[in-house]
Amino acid sequence: SGGGGIFGVGGGGRASEDGIGVNSYLWRASLDTLNFMPLGSADPFGGVIITDWYSAPTTPNERFKATVYILDTRLRADALNVSIFRQTNTNGQWSDASVDPDTEIQIENAILQRARELRLSNVR
């Protein structure tokens, strides 16, 4: 893929700066955005964050899990991929349920917004 990132060109947060294999702003923003969910695993070299199942106190019969893939060292919208999984509990049995595709887009946008904030706070 060519062209500029979120900020026109590239986007800083190179791997060599933090010793991680992906964009450091996207990495930190992903962890910040999903901090309400228990962390299952986080691989800063491969750029994969997997949460454990999370149920909101208001909806105990529904739970969510997220996987975030950071695919580049540059701060770009296409360097981020979020997958959300949802299950519902019926009679004590968890079963997979559909996820509104808009949910994944909203999470990606929240991560990108947070990454921009982190980058801007570093520039000043």
Side-chain angles (χ1 to χ4, degrees), residues 23-88:
N23 184 275
S24 61
Y25 300 118
L26 287 175
W27 179 258
R28 289 194 351 243
S30 297
L31 292 172
D32 286 357
T33 302
L34 297 174
N35 71 356
F36 65 96
M37 300 176 89
L39 192 59
S41 68
D43 175 5
F45 300 101
V48 180
I49 298 168
I50 301 171
T51 71
D52 210 343
W53 289 106
Y54 167 78
S55 290
T58 53
T59 55
N61 289 325
E62 178 181 56
R63 65 184 185 177
F64 293 90
K65 186 175 188 170
T67 303
V68 177
Y69 300 96
I70 301 169
L71 310 167
D72 203 332
T73 56
R74 294 168 296 173
L75 178 47
R76 299 169 49 100
D78 62 359
L80 182 67
N81 184 290
V82 175
S83 297
I84 303 292
F85 305 93
R86 179 174 162 252
Q87 291 186 337
T88 54

